[in-house]
C-alpha cells in the first residue's frame, strides 16, 4: 500500500502537465485558476495587487492543492491496476517456439511417436515473430509462446500466472477447453496449437492494457455526467463574471473601488463549480474496473462494467451455475413386475464403461442398494456400445444379450425397432421423473424395457437466496438448458427462477437475447463454447469462461479467469455498486455546492450589499475568512472522499425507488449539512490564527 501511495503522489505531480489536465475539463478550469492566482501573486510582489499578498498566496496554494488532490485520487485508482499489470508483464516474455507446417500434422498423427515426428520437422523461431495462423508445438515444461487454438493433444497446463489459481487445468483439442493462453506453462504431455492472435494483441497484452487503465474509455453515462458538469462549470463562470460586473457598477456609482477582487472571484468560481465530483469521477470508474480485476474478471470494455449495473435480464446456464453439474442416480424404478435388483444389475452393466459422473453414480447406487459388486468388461465376449449424439444410448453386448441405457425416446425407438413394445408405465415414469426436475434414463435388455433410472440434478446451496436478491433488484433470471421442457420447468421452480429456455440451441439463445433487447432490456449471459459465441456477441454483458474456446473469449466483453459460471451474479453487483457510488458522490457534490452558495456568497457580497447580512446565517467573520474557509473545505473534501470513491458505496439490494430515497437522505442531506459545519469551523480557525 505504501508503494502504491508513493507512486500515486509521484503521478499526481506528473499529471500537472497541461495535456493531462485538459482530459478533465472541470479540473482543467481549476488548474487554470491556480495558474491565474500564481500570476496574481507574482504581480502582488511587484506592488500590483487587488488583495494582500498573504491572502493571494493562501488562495493560490489551496487551488494547487485541489488540483493535486484530484490527480492523486485518479493516480491512486490507476495504481491498483499498474501493480497488477506489473505482475502480468512479468509473465510475458519472449521464448523459443517450435513452428511446424500444417501439412506435417497428418503425417505425424500416423507416426508411432507423433511428438518426435513433429519436433523433427519443426523450426525454432522467437515467439515475438509468430503470426496469426501459424502452428506451433509446445512440450512439458515449456511456456506457451502465443495464444492458440489446440489442434492436437491433451495436456495439463499451469495458468497461475494469469488466473492466480495454483491448480493446473486440462487443455485438449476438439472441445470447449481448446483455448491456450500465451504465458502459461505446459506441465505434462504436449500440444499442437494454431496461433490465434497477432503479436501485441494477445489475451495477456489486452489484460495488461486494460488493468493499467490506459485503454479505458469513458462510458456513455460517464460522458453524459461530464457534459452536465461542464455545463454547470460554464454557468458559474458566467455568474462569476456577472458578479464582477455588478461589483464594478455598484462601486463606481458609490465612487469606491470594486471590493470583489479577481482573486476572490477566482476562488468563488472554484467553490461554485462541481469540482468535488469532477475530481473523483475518473477515479470512480477506474476503481470499478479494479474491483472486477480483484474478482479475477478481465473486462475489455468499460461500457460493459457500467452496463452490468443496468442489466435487468440474466441468462444463466443450468449446469454448474444453478445445479452442481453432476447429476446423480437417485432411484431404480422397475416396470411391469420386473424385480428392482434385476433392473439395477442391468443398469450397472450398461454403465460400467460410462466414465461420466452420472454413469459412475449408477454403478455406485446399484452397489449400495443391492450389494452388486462392480464387474469388469475385459473378459471375452463383452462388447461396449459407446454413447453417441446420434443414438443417445450406450450399453454392452455379451453372450448374445444386449443391454441399452439412454434417453426415453431413443430407447423407445430401439425397442420398437426390434419388434418389441414400449410399456405405457415406462412412459409415465419417465414423464413423472422429468416433471420432478430429474432426468429419466430408460434401461432395456434384449428388446424388453426393464425400468427407469432417476438421475437427479442437485440445486446449489444458497442459489435460491441469490435469485431472491436479484428479484429484489428488479432483475429477471432465465435458465438456459438442453433439458426437455418438463425437467427445465421443475428445476426453474425449485431454484426460484423467472423463466427458462429448454432444449436450447445456439439459435434459440441468440433469438432469446434479441427478443429481450427488442423489448428494451439489457441482457447478460455467460458462455464457454464456440456455439455460445453468437449469443455472447449479441449480449450487452457477455462473460466468457477462461477455460472456454478462443471464439467465446473473442465474442465476450468480459473474461472470467476463474471460469466460475456464478461469477455473473457478482459482476452485476459490482456494476450496480459502481453506479451507486457515482450517483451517491454526485448527489453529495451537488448538495455540497448548494450549501456553499448560502455559506459563502452572502458573506462575500455584504460589502457591496449590506442588506445581505441577514442571509449570513453562519455569521462568518469577514469575506476573506469566508472565502479561505470555503475553498480550503473544497480541497479537503476531495481527500476525504477518496477512500469512498475507491472502495465504493456499500452495496445494498433494493428497488430503484428505495435506493434513491436512501441516497437522498444520506448523501443529499449529508452533503448539505457537512459544509455548513466544516466551513464555520474553518472560518473560526482562520480568525484564530490571524490568516484573515
Amino acid at each position: 500500500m505504501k508503494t502504491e501511495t508513493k507512486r500515486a503522489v509521484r503521478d499526481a505531480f506528473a499529471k500537472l502537465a497541461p495535456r493531462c489536465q485538459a482530459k478533465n475539463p472541470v479540473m482543467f478550469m481549476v488548474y487554470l485558476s491556480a495558474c491565474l492566482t500564481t500570476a496574481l501573486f507574482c504581480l502582488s510582489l511587484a506592488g500590483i495587487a487587488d488583495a494582500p499578498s498573504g491572502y493571494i498566496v493562501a488562495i493560490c496554494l489551496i487551488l494547487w492543492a485541489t488540483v493535486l488532490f484530484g490527480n492523486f485520487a485518479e493516480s491512486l485508482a490507476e495504481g491498483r491496476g499498474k501493480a497488477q499489470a506489473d505482475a502480468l508483464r512479468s509473465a510475458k516474455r519472449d521464448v523459443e517456439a517450435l513452428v511446424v507446417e500444417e501439412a506435417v500434422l497428418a503425417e505425424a498423427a500416423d507416426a508411432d511417436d507423433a511428438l518426435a515426428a513433429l519436433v523433427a520437422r519443426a523450426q525454432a523461431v522467437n515467439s515475438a515473430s509468430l503470426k496469426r495462423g501459424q502452428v506451433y508445438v509446445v512440450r512439458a515444461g515449456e511456456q506457451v509462446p502465443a495464444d492458440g487454438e489446440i489442434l492436437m493433444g491433451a495436456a495439463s497446463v499451469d495458468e497461475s500466472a494469469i488466473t492466480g489459481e495454483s491448480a493446473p487445468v486440462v487443455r485438449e483439442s476438439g472441445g470447449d477447453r481448446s483455448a491456450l493462453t500465451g504465458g502459461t506453462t505446459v506441465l505434462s504431455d504436449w500440444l499442437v496449437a494454431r496461433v490465434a492472435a497477432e503479436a501485441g494483441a494477445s489475451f495477456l497484452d489486452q489484460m495488461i492494457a486494460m488493468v493499467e487503465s490506459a485503454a479505458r474509455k469513458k462510458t456513455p453515462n460517464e460522458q453524459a455526467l461530464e457534459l452536465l458538469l461542464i455545463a454547470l462549470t460554464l454557468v458559474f463562470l458566467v455568474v462569476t463574471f456577472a458578479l464582477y460586473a455588478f461589483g464594478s457598477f455598484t462601486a463606481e456609482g458609490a465612487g469606491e473601488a470594486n471590493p470583489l477582487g479577481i482573486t476572490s472571484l477566482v476562488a468563488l468560481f472554484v467553490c461554485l463549480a462541481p469540482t468535488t465530483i469532477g475530481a473523483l469521477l475518473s477515479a470512480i470508474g477506474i476503481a470499478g474496473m479494479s474491483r472486477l480485476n480483484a474478482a479475477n474478471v478481465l473486462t475489455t470494455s468499460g461500457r460493459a462494467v457500467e452496463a452490468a449495473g443496468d442489466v435487468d435480464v440474466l441468462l444463466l446456464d443450468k449446469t454448474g451455475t444453478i445445479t452442481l453439474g453432476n447429476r446423480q442416480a437417485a432411484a431404480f424404478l422397475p416396470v411391469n413386475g420386473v424385480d428392482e435388483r434385476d433392473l439395477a444389475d442391468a443398469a450397472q452393466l450398461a454403465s460400467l464403461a460410462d466414465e461420466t459422473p452420472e454413469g459412475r453414480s449408477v454403478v455406485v447406487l446399484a452397489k449400495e442398494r443391492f450389494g452388486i459388486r462392480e464387474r469388469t468388461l475385459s473378459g471375452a465376449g463383452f462388447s461396449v456400445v459407446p454413447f453417441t449424439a446420434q443414438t443417445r444410448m450406450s450399453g454392452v453386448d455379451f453372450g448374445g444379450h444386449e443391454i441399452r441405457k439412454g434417453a426415453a425416446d431413443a430407447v423407445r425407438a430401439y425397442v420398437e425397432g426390434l419388434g418389441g413394445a414400449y410399456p405405457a408405465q415406462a412412459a409415465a415414469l419417465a414423464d413423472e421423473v422429468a416433471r420432478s426436475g430429474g432426468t429419466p434414463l430408460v434401461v432395456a435388455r434384449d428388446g424388453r424395457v426393464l425400468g427407469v433410472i432417476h438421475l437427479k440434478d442437485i440445486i446449489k446451496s444458497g442459489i435460491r437466496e441469490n435469485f431472491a436478491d436479484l428479484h429484489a433488484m428488479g432483475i429477471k433470471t432465465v435458465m438456459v438448458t438442453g433439458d426437455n421442457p418438463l425437467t427445465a420447468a421443475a428445476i426453474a421452480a425449485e431454484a426460484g427462477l423467472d423463466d427458462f429456455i429448454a432444449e436450447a440451441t445456439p439459435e434459440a439463445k441468440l433469438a432469446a437475447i434479441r427478443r429481450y433487447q427488442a423489448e428494451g432490456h439489457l441482457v447478460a449471459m455467460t458462455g464457454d463454447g464456440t456455439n455460445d459465441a453468437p449469443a455472447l456477441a449479441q449480449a450487452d454483458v457477455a462473460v466468457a469462461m477462461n477455460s472456454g474456446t478462443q471464439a467465446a473469449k473473442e465474442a465476450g466483453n468480459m473474461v472470467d479467469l476463474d471460469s466460475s459460471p456464478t461469477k455473473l451474479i457478482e459482476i452485476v453487483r459490482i456494476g450496480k455498486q459502481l453506479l451507486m457510488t457515482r450517483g451517491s458522490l454526485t448527489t453529495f457534490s451537488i448538495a455540497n455546492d448548494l450549501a456553499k452558495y448560502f455559506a459563502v456568497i452572502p458573506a462575500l457580497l455584504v460589502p457591496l450589499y449590506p442588506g445581505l447580512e441577514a442571509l449570513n446565517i453562519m455569521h462568518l467573520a469577514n469575506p476573506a475568512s469566508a472565502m479561505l474557509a470555503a475553498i480550503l473545505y473544497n480541497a479537503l473534501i476531495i481527500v476525504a472522499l477518496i477512500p469512498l470513491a475507491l472502495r465504493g458505496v456499500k452495496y445494498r439490494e433494493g428497488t430503484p425507488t428505495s435506493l434513491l430515497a436512501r441516497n437522498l437522505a444520506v448523501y443529499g442531506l449529508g452533503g448539505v449539512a457537512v459544509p455548513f459545519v466544516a466551513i464555520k469551523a474553518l472560518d473560526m480557525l482562520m480568525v484564530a490564527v490571524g490568516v484573515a
Side-chain angles (χ1 to χ4, degrees), residues 614-635:
L615 296 179
N616 186 15
I617 56 177
M618 296 173 63
H619 303 292
L620 301 180
N622 56 66
S625 68
M627 199 67 259
L628 284 172
I631 198 169
L632 182 58
Y633 167 78
N634 194 65

Side-chain angles (χ1 to χ4, degrees), residues 47 136-137 198 221 232 246 252 269 323 348 440 469 480 497 524 534 626:
Y136 62 82
V137 181
E198 297 288 352
N221 283 354
L232 290 174
F246 280 129
E252 185 178 341
F269 164 70
T323 64
Q348 189 188 68
D469 292 341
V480 180
L497 291 149

Side-chain angles (χ1 to χ4, degrees), residues 315-505:
L315 264 60
L316 300 154
D317 188 49
K318 183 202 74 173
T319 305
T321 304
I322 298 165
T323 64
L324 291 177
N326 296 332
R327 294 172 296 181
Q328 301 293 307
F332 297 113
L333 307 173
V335 299
N336 295 345
V338 173
D339 186 74
E340 186 178 349
R341 181 186 176 86
D342 289 342
L343 170 61
D345 181 68
Q348 189 188 68
L349 279 171
S351 302
L352 288 177
D354 185 351
E355 293 299 328
T356 65
E358 293 88 347
R360 302 309 301 165
S361 74
V362 172
V363 174
V364 171
L365 182 63
K367 183 178 180 180
E368 290 178 347
R369 291 287 300 276
F370 301 103
I372 304 174
R373 294 184 176 276
E374 185 173 337
R375 289 153 287 183
T376 177
L377 297 178
S378 59
F382 280 92
S383 175
V384 173
V385 179
F387 175 88
T388 67
Q390 289 73 33
T391 63
R392 293 189 297 147
M393 291 190 306
S394 62
V396 63
D397 296 341
F398 67 98
H401 297 287
E402 293 183 359
I403 299 178
R404 296 292 183 270
K405 173 196 71 176
D409 57 341
V411 174
R412 179 171 191 158
Y414 163 75
V415 169
E416 291 177 347
L418 294 177
Y422 189 79
Q425 188 181 0
L429 283 173
D431 287 344
E432 183 180 339
V433 169
R435 280 194 298 271
S436 70
T439 301
L441 290 180
V442 178
V443 179
R445 182 172 59 200
D446 298 332
R448 178 193 175 200
V449 174
L450 301 181
V452 176
I453 305 171
H454 181 179
L455 291 181
K456 188 174 182 181
D457 276 301
I458 309 300
I459 303 294
K460 282 188 174 181
S461 175
I463 198 72
R464 189 178 182 91
E465 290 73 16
N466 275 334
F467 290 148
D469 292 341
L470 293 172
H471 293 160
M473 292 185 284
I475 296 176
K476 181 177 182 177
T477 51
V478 182
M479 179 181 72
V480 180
T481 177
D483 290 336
N484 63 68
L486 288 176
T487 301
I491 294 175
E494 185 179 350
L497 291 149
D498 295 306
D499 201 357
F500 62 87
I501 302 172
E503 299 175 343
T505 61

